[in-house]
Amino acid sequence: MRDVFVIGAGMTKFGELWEKSIKDIFVEAGLKAIEDAGVGYIDSLYVGAMSSGLFVGQEHLGAVMADYLGVNPVPATRVESACASGGVSFRQAYLEVASGASDIVLAGGVEKMTDGADVTDALATAADQEYEVYHGVTFPGLYAMIAKAHMHQYGTTRQQLAAVAVKNHRNGAKNPNAQFRFEVTLEQVLNSTRVADPLGLLDCSPVSDGGAAVILVSAEVARNLKKPLIRVIASSQASDTIALHSRPSFTTIGSVVKAAEKAYKMAGIKPTDVNLCEVHDCFTIAEIVVSEDLGFFEKGKGGEAVEKGLTALEGGKMPINTSGGLKSKGHPVGATGIAQIIEVYEQLSGKAGARQVKNARIGMAQNMGGSGASCVIHILEVK
Ligand code: COA
C-alpha cells in the first residue's frame, strides 16, 4: 500500500442553511477543498450521505454531485454507513489512493436535514427496525439507556455528562463554522428540557445542514505541490451488533474497541501518543464511553476525566473535540466524519486559530453510525 496525504480541505458553515440546496452545500465544500489543495483535477469522488432520499428526496448522490461539481466523467460513488458515512467516504478515498488506483481523490460528505422531513424517524432507520424502532425507541432513547447503564455501573454523574456539553460549546464558540457559537453553563445543561432521561436538550447534537470535503493524494502529488506532509497513518473500520440489546454490555462499544486496536497497530502508536482527538459525541454520554473505549481513560473514568478538565482544549492532557464536536459544531450526519478529519488536518497544519493545540503532531478522528454498529477511525500525522 502507498502512503496517502491530505492536502486540502473545505467545509460549509454547519447549521440551518435554508437558502442552500443539498447540491449547493456539497459543491461549496468541494470547490473550497479543491482550491485549498491547489489541484487542477480529481481522479474520483466519494460522497458520504446517510439518508438524502428521506431528508430531501434525492438519491444517486455520486452522480448528482459529480455533475454539479463539474467533474464528469470521473467515477463518483455515494457511501452510506449512517452517521459514519463521512468517515467511511474518507476511508474509501484513502484505500483508492493507497492501492495505486488513483492519485487525487475527493472525499466528501453532506446532509440537509432541516427541509421538513421527520428527522427523528429518518435517523431511526439506522437502528434495528424490528426490535428497536417498532417498539418506539429513538436515538436519544438508545443513548439514554447507555447513559443509565454507565451511571449505574461506574457511578458516572449527571454533572459529568453535562461537563461534556460545557466543554464542547466552549470549543465550538471559537469555531467560525459551528452551528452553535455560544457557551453554556453547567446549570443550563442540567436544567435543559429533558429529551430522554437523563439526557436533556443540551446533551444532544442538533439537527443540521452542512457539507465537508478533503483531497487525498499520493506522496508524489503532495511533494510536487509542495504541501505540508500530513499523512494518514491509520485507517480502520469495525462493526458491532445493530441492536443494543444484543451486546454483552451497554457501556462498551465493541466496534470502537476493535477499530481502535487496529488503528493503533497500523500507526504503530499508543493512545498516549495522540495529541488531540475528534470523537463522535452525538450525545454527551457517547463522548465519555468512546474516550474510554479508545484507551484514553480507564473504563468507567471518562466522566471523571472530563470533569477534571483532562479533555479540555486549555490545559487538558488529551484535548477532545476541539472543533466543538457534534454537540456544538453541529451534526449534518453524512458530513460529520469529514468535518472531524478537517479539524485534525487544520490542527496538524497549525491553522486552527483560537482552537490550536500547541505542538500537535498526531490527531485522531473517530466516527460512528447508529449506537455504534459501525465505527471508523483515522489517525493523521504531520511529518
Ligand atoms: N443543542 C442546543 N440547542 C438546540 C439543540 C441542541 N441539540 N437542538 C435545538 N436547539 C435549540 C434551537 O436552536 C432552538 O433555539 P431557538 O429557540 O433559540 O431558536 C431551540 O433549541 C428549539 O429548537 P427545536 O428545533 O424546536 O428543537 P427540537 O425540540 O425540535 O429538537 C432535539 C431538539 C434535541 C430533539 C433534536 O436536536 C435532536 O433530535 N437531536 C438529536 C439528533 C440525533 O439523534 N442525531 C443522530 C445521533 S445518532
Side-chain angles (χ1 to χ4, degrees):
M1 296 280 255
R2 303 192 299 174
D3 283 349
V4 179
F5 298 84
V6 178
I7 60 159
M11 65 183 281
T12 65
K13 191 177 172 354
F14 282 3
E16 296 189 14
L17 309 180
W18 298 109
E19 71 291 1
K20 291 176 184 165
S21 72
I22 190 168
K23 295 182 241 178
D24 298 334
I25 294 171
F26 189 83
V27 168
E28 180 183 328
L31 289 179
K32 280 182 180 168
I34 289 170
E35 192 183 346
D36 186 43
V39 290
Y41 66 93
I42 56 172
D43 293 320
S44 86
L45 158 75
Y46 289 89
V47 185
M50 180 200 157
S51 205
S52 53
L54 291 178
F55 290 131
V56 293
Q58 179 70 65
E59 302 287 16
H60 207 177
L61 279 199
V64 170
M65 297 315 174
D67 184 7
Y68 279 82
L69 198 56
V71 296
N72 280 341
V74 305
T77 310
R78 184 256 185 94
V79 174
E80 188 273 314
S81 189
C83 304
S85 300
V88 177
S89 159
F90 184 84
R91 181 167 155 79
Q92 295 311 305
Y94 163 81
L95 292 171
E96 185 165 329
V97 177
S99 71
S102 292
D103 286 323
I104 308 177
V105 178
L106 185 149
V110 69
E111 215 75 64
K112 178 109 177 80
M113 301 168 74
T114 68
D115 269 6
D118 187 328
V119 175
T120 304
D121 275 359
L123 289 169
T125 58
D128 188 315
Q129 287 302 306
E130 206 176 346
Y131 292 113
E132 292 179 324
V133 183
Y134 178 80
H135 298 279
V137 181
T138 59
F139 274 109
L142 287 167
Y143 278 93
M145 286 190 249
I146 295 176
K148 284 273 188 192
H150 207 274
M151 292 164 109
H152 178 73
Q153 203 169 336
Y154 299 111
T156 299
T157 64
R158 180 70 193 89
Q159 281 76 5
Q160 290 170 347
L161 297 175
V164 173
V166 172
K167 168 183 69 69
N168 291 352
H169 270 266
R170 196 187 310 130
N171 295 346
K174 298 186 173 86
N175 185 345
N177 289 320
Q179 181 163 355
F180 297 130
R181 295 197 66 193
F182 55 81
E183 300 200 14
V184 296
T185 64
L186 202 65
E187 290 65 35
Q188 282 173 309
V189 185
L190 293 174
N191 296 327
S192 62
T193 308
R194 205 48 57 104
V195 174
D197 190 56
L199 305 175
L201 179 82
L202 290 173
D203 288 276
C204 304
S205 58
V207 171
S208 319
D209 305 327
V214 291
I215 305 291
L216 296 90
V217 299
S218 61
E220 196 187 345
V221 174
R223 283 199 197 98
N224 287 345
L225 288 168
K226 301 192 173 22
K227 289 286 179 178
L229 292 180
I230 296 174
R231 187 161 74 93
V232 183
I233 57 171
S235 172
S236 70
Q237 189 177 345
S239 310
D240 199 349
T241 65
I242 186 84
L244 211 50
H245 66 244
S246 310
R247 298 184 191 166
S249 162
F250 275 22
T251 54
T252 290
I253 301 174
S255 63
V256 180
V257 174
K258 194 66 204 171
E261 192 185 302
K262 291 202 273 187
Y264 291 129
K265 190 169 171 206
M266 184 173 175
I269 62 164
K270 305 181 293 303
T272 45
D273 296 322
V274 178
N275 302 128
L276 68 124
C277 185
E278 288 289 295
V279 314
H280 195 96
D281 60 324
C282 47
F283 299 93
T284 49
I285 184 61
E287 178 169 316
I288 290 175
V289 171
V290 170
S291 69
E292 298 165 354
D293 289 343
L294 292 175
F296 297 140
F297 307 107
E298 204 183 304
K299 195 74 217 165
K301 301 282 187 198
E304 203 178 297
V306 65
E307 202 168 39
K308 284 185 172 164
L310 302 184
T311 57
L313 172 55
E314 303 86 3
K317 69 165 189 171
M318 181 62 239
I320 289 183
N321 285 331
T322 52
S323 67
L326 285 52
K327 174 71 228 32
S328 169
K329 184 181 64 212
H331 184 27
V333 285
T336 283
I338 299 289
Q340 292 179 318
I341 298 278
I342 292 180
E343 178 68 11
V344 172
Y345 167 76
E346 289 187 346
Q347 288 282 356
L348 300 186
S349 328
K351 293 182 192 163
R355 308 185 313 283
Q356 187 64 48
V357 172
K358 278 197 199 109
N359 306 320
R361 297 201 60 76
I362 297 182
M364 180 190 256
Q366 178 271 340
N367 183 205
M368 62 190 177
S371 51
S374 54
C375 176
V376 57
I377 293 181
H378 289 97
I379 307 178
L380 277 61
E381 179 179 29
V382 62
K383 285 218 165 183

